Amino acid sequence: MRFLISLCVSLLLLINESTMSSSDPCYDYTTLDEYWRDIQQSPYEYFENDDTLVEWSGWYRLYLNGESAQMSEWCVSHMRCGGYTGLYLNDSHPTLEDGVVTREVLGSNSLWWWEWLWAPSSQCGDYTSTSIQVKACPGDYYVYEFVKPNISAPWPSYCAVAFSNISSDPCYNYESLDRPWRANNESGDWICDESFSWNGWYRLFYYGMDIQMSETCVDSYSCNTIYNLWLNGPHPQIEDGEVIREVCAGSYWGICCEYKTNPIRVKACPGNYYVYELVNPQFWCSGYCTDVNTISWPVSTVSPDIITGSSIPLNYDPCNNYNILDNYWRSTFNYWSMYGYISDHDDTRVEWDGWYRLFINGSSAQMPEWCMSYMSCGGFSSLYLGGSHPQLEDGVVTREIYGSHHAQCSYYRSEPIQVKACPGDYYVYKFNRPTISIPAPVYCAVPFSTPSVDPCYSYTSLDEPWRATDNPYYNNYYSYGMCDYNVEWNGWYRLFYNGENAHMPESCVNYGMCGTYEPLWLNGPHPQLEDGVVTRQVCASTWSGCCEYTSHPIRVKACPGNYYVYEFVKPIFCGDYCVEASWQPIISVSTATETVLPTESIAPPITTTAPPVDPCYNYNVLDDPWRATNNQHSSLIMCDVWVSWSGWYRLFIQDQSVQMPDTCVEEYSCGTNAPLWLNGEHPTVEDGVVTRDVCGHWNNDCCYFQSNPIKVKACPGDYYVYEFVSPIACNLAYCADAWNINNTYTTETTTTTETVAETTMTVNRNPCSELSCSEDEECGMNNGVYGCLCENHRQRQHHDSFDFSETCESSSGSMSVSRCQLFEAGFPADVLHLNDPSCKGTVRNGRVEFQFDNDEHICGTNLVANGTHFIYSNFILGAPRSEGLISREKILKLSFSCVYPQTQTLSMNAEINPLETVVHETLPTGEGRYQVRMTPYEDDEFTRPFTGRVDAELDQKMNVEVRVEGVDSRQFALVVDTCWATPVNDPDYSLRWDLIVTECPNPIDDTVELLQNGVSTSSRFSFRMFIFTANSTKLYLHCTVHLCLLSSNSCPVDCNSGHQRREGRSLDFHDSAPISMGPLMWSEGNT
């Protein structure tokens, strides 16, 4: 049928064209398709064309790359349109009724780029060209009678602009753009919209709230850009449809519309919001601005905000269930001046789902654990891991995410992510949406590979004396300055200086040395043999400081024979890797197993010798009973500052081998005031010698004293040795963990006849072993009570905030709060409960979880309605015990809520068989989820739903049920507001027939029966089958429904009383879910 209609229309058009082509320019024109006429072309290109040289004759229709176009009605600053003077219409296009009209043509003065950067005005309308005739044609296009332009304008060219056909309503087919940094109350950055890839329609948000483009002049340097783009005209009304608006750019001279950039289309949408077809402004560092005065506030909920989470089955292993993320532009080598400066990506616009493994061009990669100056990774703010990657045995861990800002690292802090190490030497990451206040953030990736050959025996020798730290750039022929940015680095390198072994400097190098302007040096010590391959930051000395910039980090390894190898990479700017000229080289060492020579590339068998002295077999015994952790509040206070420490030590208590505690120790333990404990895990035998921080507990702060680090090694035989050094102050002393030592006590009982000696074996209780602190927590004391304290990266940033997450599902909800943050605030888990004191929390994975539902676990939850949404609200209450933790006056109250929209629109879908439509509504952050279904039935009892194709005869009775699932049927009823039919699968189609109006049957269609509405979670109605007379055999049904609170006693309506429906509700909700069910086919059985 559709083919026949299309064929008839085509034949009709052909007939019309054959009869009218002799007189109507709509059917007698020349096609003009020249891409360089586009007003969106860069002003730097295609300016050699001149329309005064064209022999114009007759009428023309414009195209751009095969797509229908029109002449521009708008001036864009510095537009050339392929010439030097862009010509545009000085009025709007005519309508069909206007016929042929005459329009004035104006020209813009396009200055060269070095002129327009400092131009005093936009130069629009500088020239007036010859007027032309224009006509609007059926089919929504225009034809123009072009003539030779005014020759006084240099190289004039008619401009064209194309607006693509809209296949679907942009009010329901847009991309959300939540970028708070675009607001006119933001400033401080230069973010340029010409760097982003624009495609399609966008709805603007401000932290989840609707916001509009500014319609008025914006202050200079607002919106975090240089040239502020604002809408030069009012926003449209809904009845206006899509409109085109001019876009102005304010300048730092304070002129509101100093420049004009490419026009955009705008549309007003139901629900009081707008969508914009944003395009590349093609103007130097400009950005679209939003106006904070236009924010549409959502339904207010009680703080803290609601965050919807999900649970993962226990048998789910992300190492075997991950998505591959292979984007070459995520590489840390994609920085500000390399590879064309790719910076148009934004991970806040990605729909993250599950776990990901990183690749770069097919090679395994990982997130960087470091930052460098001007790191881009394809966006504006590069995100990196705020901590080391986990080990296999660590399982899933949580890591902080930081973001860079130009040359500043850790400028931003994003949402934490989960990370896991996997067998096969790779990692998986559970990426989530970064913090939206960060401009264009992108997760970074760095190539990760373990050298297949030991780089100590597979390197390239680098002997260039001009790299010496005492060689200035102006010395002899090096005066032009060398530049490692131009070197194609590949693999590992060993440094020499005039044939002698050398290494990179570890301290600041003066500006202008090493034969270059900005010398590069190693910001950190060289590794030891046992450290293996390490990553080190590289600093650049400039005229303003020693480490003004950081270049891309490099990997370094210490090798047998007292030399180092470096994996050099291309730096981010024109600098050079330095060679320490003052270092006294050691001639290459020969051993019984190897010979290392400074040749270009050598690769003997990988053999190394053990260190000359292994501390596992060469240590001092440290057996001081007073160092025991159970020696508390001793009358004799010790201090390790006065000990002459020398070499390595193994700890003993009562002749039993012990180790340092690696969790917080209570004050006044270990025979001292501030006991010293190891702030980090003990190593394994495979780790070799490691360095660990040492903390001293004082003033209720487990790490109040950050003492000097020490070296630790695990030894065969399950013991450890420590290279103790003098602490930073008194009274501090190293502890020995004695919780597992068996102590023997002898007591005497006196009787009348004898003295009996009783020997009792007592095992001291370790309170930390009973707490099961998670990997993000550490056992310690808070005001005399043991509990799980937060690691540094998990501590609260503000005293009035907690790390929490919330899930809303159907008529239930749950919330979890960080256990360690609660404990540090003075509220252990067992003193917390919901509104109902019997609803206590449970501890899982370091979090205290609370749950409620509307069955047997209501927990004092309150349900209210505000006209647009339903809100379940509850709170977590904590009152400290009478014994006291922190403060007896402090009471904790954390309120939370789950919000559900009251109104929805749904339709029957054309392609669903059987014809049952399901709306799975996952609402925006802070809202719950439920489902709405629409189903046609064959019988009046609603027991047999249609299956397969639905063929119905004219006037046959059709039964339809609409029901909601996922809400509490004891509290809610579903109400059908309106239902209507259309001949096509489009609820907004202009041709429609109403079945239900304002919750009652359409009074002019007496076949409609409303069987049930507003009394339960399902509504039912029936009608007689019909067709639209415009050659259509199909029907599509659409309904608008809302949820009603049964306790209001106002859900059902009496359609027979004739009175008006109660006062309408606000429809300002941020959820609309049009889907379709149908078609209901007309059968010609009994016509």
Side-chain angles (χ1 to χ4, degrees):
M1 179 62 72
R2 290 181 179 176
F3 171 75
L4 292 175
I5 294 173
S6 300
L7 183 60
C8 292
V9 171
S10 300
L11 291 174
L12 181 60
L13 290 176
L14 289 173
I15 294 171
N16 288 339
E17 183 174 350
S18 64
T19 59
M20 301 177 63
S21 60
S22 59
S23 59
D24 191 341
C26 287
Y27 308 101
D28 186 16
Y29 54 77
T30 300
T31 296
L32 196 63
D33 191 347
E34 292 164 325
Y35 64 92
W36 42 263
R37 295 188 181 275
D38 192 346
I39 64 171
Q40 297 187 27
Q41 288 288 353
S42 169
Y44 313 136
E45 302 176 304
Y46 316 118
F47 49 81
E48 70 279 3
N49 300 286
D50 185 350
D51 278 350
T52 64
L53 305 178
V54 178
E55 293 297 330
W56 299 102
S57 176
W59 290 79
Y60 296 83
R61 180 178 176 184
L62 290 170
Y63 287 85
L64 287 174
N65 298 316
E67 186 175 358
S68 184
Q70 66 184 59
M71 265 194 80
S72 177
E73 302 173 2
W74 312 271
C75 173
V76 175
S77 298
H78 317 296
M79 69 179 181
R80 289 200 173 104
C81 305
Y84 189 78
T85 303
L87 301 179
Y88 61 97
L89 290 181
N90 189 27
D91 203 346
S92 61
H93 280 75
T95 63
L96 285 171
E97 296 77 19
D98 294 335
V100 176
V101 299
T102 300
R103 288 290 184 261
E104 186 180 39
V105 175
L106 299 180
S108 65
N109 183 3
S110 179
L111 304 175
W112 295 96
W113 68 270
W114 59 81
E115 299 173 283
W116 69 259
L117 282 176
W118 311 105
S121 64
S122 62
Q123 311 299 320
C124 288
D126 269 14
Y127 301 101
T128 301
S129 186
T130 308
S131 298
I132 64 171
Q133 289 187 304
V134 188
K135 184 180 182 184
C137 299
D140 198 24
Y141 65 92
Y142 303 96
V143 289
Y144 308 86
E145 191 175 26
F146 289 134
V147 297
K148 184 176 182 178
N150 190 331
I151 60 174
S152 64
W155 296 344
S157 177
Y158 291 110
C159 291
V161 59
F163 294 103
S164 58
N165 292 327
I166 301 175
S167 57
S168 59
D169 191 338
C171 286
Y172 308 103
N173 186 25
Y174 57 78
E175 181 177 345
S176 297
L177 207 61
D178 198 337
R179 289 179 168 173
W181 46 268
R182 290 188 178 277
N184 53 3
N185 63 345
E186 297 283 343
S187 62
D189 255 323
W190 290 10
I191 305 174
C192 312
D193 274 351
E194 64 269 23
S195 301
F196 296 110
S197 298
W198 300 100
N199 183 24
W201 290 77
Y202 299 86
R203 179 177 175 183
L204 301 174
F205 290 91
Y206 182 85
Y207 292 110
M209 297 174 286
D210 278 310
I211 194 171
Q212 303 172 20
M213 271 190 71
S214 179
E215 298 177 355
T216 58
C217 184
V218 181
D219 292 338
S220 302
Y221 292 105
S222 299
C223 313
N224 281 312
T225 190
I226 297 180
Y227 292 95
N228 317 301
L229 302 182
W230 54 279
L231 221 56
N232 191 16
H235 281 75
Q237 303 296 317
I238 290 181
E239 55 270 20
D240 296 333
E242 296 94 9
V243 300
I244 300 171
R245 288 291 183 261
E246 189 176 58
V247 176
C248 277
S251 73
Y252 46 76
W253 292 295
I255 303 175
C256 284
C257 200
E258 177 72 7
Y259 304 104
K260 296 179 181 179
T261 185
N262 295 320
I264 62 172
R265 289 193 288 187
V266 188
K267 185 179 182 184
C269 299
N272 196 28
Y273 66 92
Y274 299 91
V275 288
Y276 307 83
E277 190 179 33
L278 302 179
V279 300
N280 192 319
Q282 296 288 359
F283 197 78
W284 182 68
C285 205
S286 56
Y288 293 108
C289 283
T290 55
D291 187 352
V292 292
N293 295 315
T294 64
I295 291 175
S296 299
W297 295 95
V299 177
S300 59
T301 58
V302 184
S303 180
D305 294 333
I306 304 168
I307 301 176
T308 302
S310 60
S311 59
I312 300 176
L314 295 178
N315 60 354
Y316 175 89
D317 187 354
C319 288
N320 304 319
N321 295 274
Y322 56 77
N323 304 293
I324 291 177
L325 197 63
D326 191 345
N327 306 123
Y328 69 94
W329 42 263
R330 291 186 184 275
S331 171
T332 53
F333 291 105
N334 175 33
Y335 30 80
W336 67 308
S337 58
M338 294 182 63
Y339 309 129
Y341 187 36
I342 304 168
S343 60
D344 61 341
H345 298 281
D346 184 347
D347 278 349
T348 65
R349 297 164 64 180
V350 178
E351 293 296 329
W352 299 103
D353 183 22
W355 291 78
Y356 295 82
R357 180 179 174 186
L358 290 170
F359 289 84
I360 297 177
N361 294 324
S363 298
S364 186
Q366 67 181 53
M367 280 194 73
E369 302 169 356
W370 38 259
C371 171
M372 66 182 183
S373 301
Y374 299 103
M375 189 162 69
S376 167
C377 306
F380 183 83
S381 307
S382 52
L383 302 180
Y384 60 96
L385 217 58
S388 60
H389 281 77
Q391 305 294 320
L392 281 172
E393 57 270 18
D394 295 334
V396 176
V397 302
T398 301
R399 289 290 183 262
E400 294 291 344
I401 298 295
Y402 294 99
S404 66
H405 176 265
H406 299 309
Q408 298 174 276
C409 292
S410 302
Y411 188 85
Y412 300 108
R413 186 169 183 172
S414 187
E415 302 298 326
I417 65 169
Q418 290 182 304
V419 189
K420 185 180 182 184
C422 298
D425 201 22
Y426 66 92
Y427 303 95
V428 288
Y429 308 86
K430 191 173 184 183
F431 291 131
N432 49 42
R433 187 187 191 192
T435 303
I436 59 176
S437 60
I438 303 175
V442 169
Y443 291 110
C444 289
V446 61
F448 172 72
S449 61
T450 302
S452 58
V453 178
D454 191 338
C456 286
Y457 310 104
S458 181
Y459 56 76
T460 300
S461 296
L462 196 63
D463 192 348
E464 295 170 327
W466 55 263
R467 294 183 180 274
T469 52
D470 58 0
N471 177 54
Y473 72 89
Y474 51 80
N475 183 30
N476 299 326
Y477 62 94
Y478 305 119
S479 59
Y480 53 84
M482 306 298 286
C483 185
D484 278 348
Y485 177 82
N486 299 320
V487 178
E488 292 300 324
W489 300 100
N490 184 23
W492 291 77
Y493 296 82
R494 179 180 173 185
L495 293 173
F496 292 88
Y497 180 66
N498 292 324
E500 300 290 347
N501 192 26
H503 67 79
M504 282 188 71
E506 300 174 352
S507 57
C508 182
V509 178
N510 290 331
Y511 170 69
M513 306 306 287
C514 306
T516 189
Y517 294 100
E518 297 176 338
L520 303 176
W521 52 278
L522 215 60
N523 189 15
H526 281 76
Q528 304 294 318
L529 280 171
E530 55 269 21
D531 294 334
V533 176
V534 300
T535 300
R536 288 290 182 263
Q537 191 181 59
V538 174
C539 277
S541 298
T542 67
W543 62 270
S544 58
C546 279
C547 199
E548 183 70 15
Y549 301 111
T550 54
S551 188
H552 199 288
I554 62 173
R555 294 198 289 180
V556 189
K557 186 179 182 186
C559 299
N562 198 25
Y563 68 92
Y564 303 96
V565 288
Y566 308 85
E567 190 180 30
F568 290 134
V569 298
K570 182 176 289 190
I572 66 171
F573 38 67
C574 191
D576 281 335
Y577 294 109
C578 289
V579 171
E580 181 64 76
S582 61
W583 187 52
Q584 296 298 320
I586 298 178
I587 300 175
S588 301
V589 177
S590 297
T591 68
T593 58
E594 64 185 4
T595 301
V596 181
L597 299 174
T599 57
E600 282 301 310
S601 183
I602 54 179
I606 302 175
T607 56
T608 61
T609 56
V613 177
D614 189 340
C616 286
Y617 309 103
N618 187 20
Y619 55 77
N620 302 294
V621 172
L622 193 63
D623 189 355
D624 297 322
W626 55 264
R627 294 187 183 275
T629 49
N630 57 4
N631 177 30
Q632 298 177 330
H633 301 279
S634 172
S635 59
L636 182 63
I637 301 300
M638 309 300 290
C639 179
D640 277 345
V641 167
W642 313 120
V643 178
S644 298
W645 299 102
S646 177
W648 292 78
Y649 296 82
R650 179 178 175 186
L651 290 170
F652 288 85
I653 295 292
Q654 297 180 2
D655 296 325
Q656 297 187 49
S657 183
V658 295
Q659 66 186 56
M660 275 190 73
D662 50 20
T663 57
C664 186
V665 179
E666 189 173 353
E667 296 175 36
Y668 299 104
S669 299
C670 310
T672 190
N673 290 336
L676 296 178
W677 55 280
L678 213 61
N679 189 13
E681 295 179 350
H682 279 75
T684 62
V685 173
E686 296 77 18
D687 295 334
V689 176
V690 300
T691 301
R692 290 290 183 261
D693 291 330
V694 175
C695 283
H697 186 186
W698 186 248
N699 196 27
N700 289 327
D701 186 344
C702 282
C703 207
Y704 184 88
F705 291 104
Q706 298 182 23
S707 191
N708 296 316
I710 63 172
K711 291 182 180 179
V712 188
K713 185 178 182 184
C715 299
D718 196 24
Y719 65 92
Y720 301 93
V721 289
Y722 308 86
E723 191 178 28
F724 289 132
V725 297
S726 181
I728 61 173
C730 276
N731 292 314
L732 283 72
Y734 293 107
C735 284
D737 194 343
W739 291 112
N740 296 320
I741 297 297
N742 292 330
N743 295 316
T744 301
Y745 298 91
T746 302
T747 60
E748 290 188 354
T749 303
T750 303
T751 66
T752 57
T753 58
E754 60 183 347
T755 300
V756 180
E758 296 180 356
T759 302
T760 305
M761 302 296 292
T762 303
V763 179
N764 288 321
R765 182 180 64 87
N766 183 0
C768 290
S769 64
E770 302 172 2
L771 292 173
S772 301
C773 296
S774 70
E775 59 192 12
D776 292 322
E777 300 172 324
E778 60 186 15
C779 177
M781 296 189 67
N782 190 12
N783 273 34
V785 177
Y786 274 97
C788 293
L789 301 169
C790 297
E791 294 282 2
N792 291 336
H793 67 280
R794 298 292 295 173
Q795 292 175 348
R796 291 186 295 162
Q797 298 302 305
H798 305 285
H799 291 296
D800 58 350
S801 65
F802 291 87
D803 174 15
F804 69 92
S805 64
E806 185 170 353
T807 301
C808 297
E809 194 73 32
S810 185
S811 300
S812 63
S814 65
M815 182 179 183
S816 69
V817 190
S818 168
R819 169 177 61 178
C820 63
Q821 292 181 356
L822 289 168
F823 177 69
E824 291 180 351
F827 300 95
D830 58 350
V831 304
L832 302 174
H833 56 80
L834 293 180
N835 189 19
D836 181 348
S838 66
C839 294
K840 300 282 189 177
T842 57
V843 178
R844 292 187 181 90
N845 299 322
R847 302 188 68 83
V848 186
E849 298 181 357
F850 301 86
Q851 295 180 334
F852 70 85
D853 57 42
N854 274 323
D855 293 320
E856 304 300 325
H857 205 61
I858 297 177
C859 295
T861 303
N862 185 33
L863 175 61
V864 296
N866 64 3
T868 62
H869 291 72
F870 295 103
I871 304 172
Y872 288 93
S873 62
N874 208 316
F875 54 83
I876 298 173
L877 185 66
R881 302 185 187 93
S882 58
E883 302 93 86
L885 269 180
I886 304 297
S887 171
R888 286 188 171 90
E889 289 77 26
K890 187 191 304 185
I891 296 177
L892 176 72
K893 184 175 181 180
L894 295 177
S895 301
F896 62 100
S897 57
C898 292
V899 181
Y900 297 84
Q902 197 169 346
T903 309
Q904 289 194 71
T905 301
L906 70 155
S907 313
M908 294 188 179
N909 196 328
E911 302 302 328
I912 295 180
N913 289 310
L915 292 188
E916 181 180 54
T917 289
V918 182
V919 184
H920 294 275
E921 278 306 293
T922 301
L923 304 171
T925 300
E927 300 193 359
R929 170 179 178 154
Y930 57 87
Q931 300 174 357
V932 184
R933 298 175 182 266
M934 186 188 301
T935 309
Y937 284 84
E938 297 182 17
D939 60 323
D940 294 342
E941 290 75 26
F942 291 83
T943 59
R944 298 194 308 275
F946 274 101
T947 59
R949 171 171 168 152
V950 179
D951 291 320
E953 299 179 1
L954 287 179
D955 206 36
Q956 177 179 333
K957 186 177 182 181
M958 302 297 298
N959 298 295
V960 180
E961 179 184 67
V962 184
R963 66 181 182 274
V964 60
E965 298 173 352
V967 299
D968 191 344
S969 60
R970 297 167 298 182
Q971 294 183 325
F972 291 105
L974 181 73
V975 179
V976 174
D977 295 313
T978 58
C979 286
W980 67 99
T982 59
V984 297
N985 190 10
D986 180 3
D988 297 321
Y989 194 65
S990 58
L991 184 61
R992 59 181 278 172
W993 181 256
D994 290 325
L995 298 172
I996 297 176
V997 182
T998 60
E999 304 178 18
C1000 292
N1002 184 355
I1004 63 174
D1005 188 342
D1006 56 7
T1007 73
V1008 179
E1009 292 184 56
L1010 189 57
L1011 306 174
Q1012 178 176 300
N1013 197 21
V1015 296
S1016 69
T1017 53
S1018 65
S1019 296
R1020 294 174 178 178
F1021 67 93
S1022 66
F1023 67 97
R1024 295 286 178 175
M1025 184 64 180
F1026 63 92
I1027 59 172
F1028 287 89
T1029 56
N1031 296 323
S1032 173
T1033 61
K1034 301 177 181 179
L1035 284 185
Y1036 294 83
L1037 297 183
H1038 318 278
C1039 290
T1040 299
V1041 302
H1042 76 270
L1043 295 176
C1044 182
L1045 202 59
L1046 287 172
S1047 60
S1048 67
N1049 296 319
S1050 61
C1051 298
V1053 62
D1054 183 5
C1055 295
N1056 298 320
S1057 63
H1059 68 271
Q1060 293 293 322
R1061 180 61 180 163
R1062 58 182 174 271
E1063 185 178 349
R1065 298 168 307 276
S1066 169
L1067 296 181
D1068 184 16
F1069 59 94
H1070 33 249
D1071 177 65
S1072 181
I1075 61 174
S1076 297
M1077 187 188 88
L1080 307 180
M1081 303 293 295
W1082 164 46
S1083 173
E1084 302 183 12
N1086 295 314
T1087 58

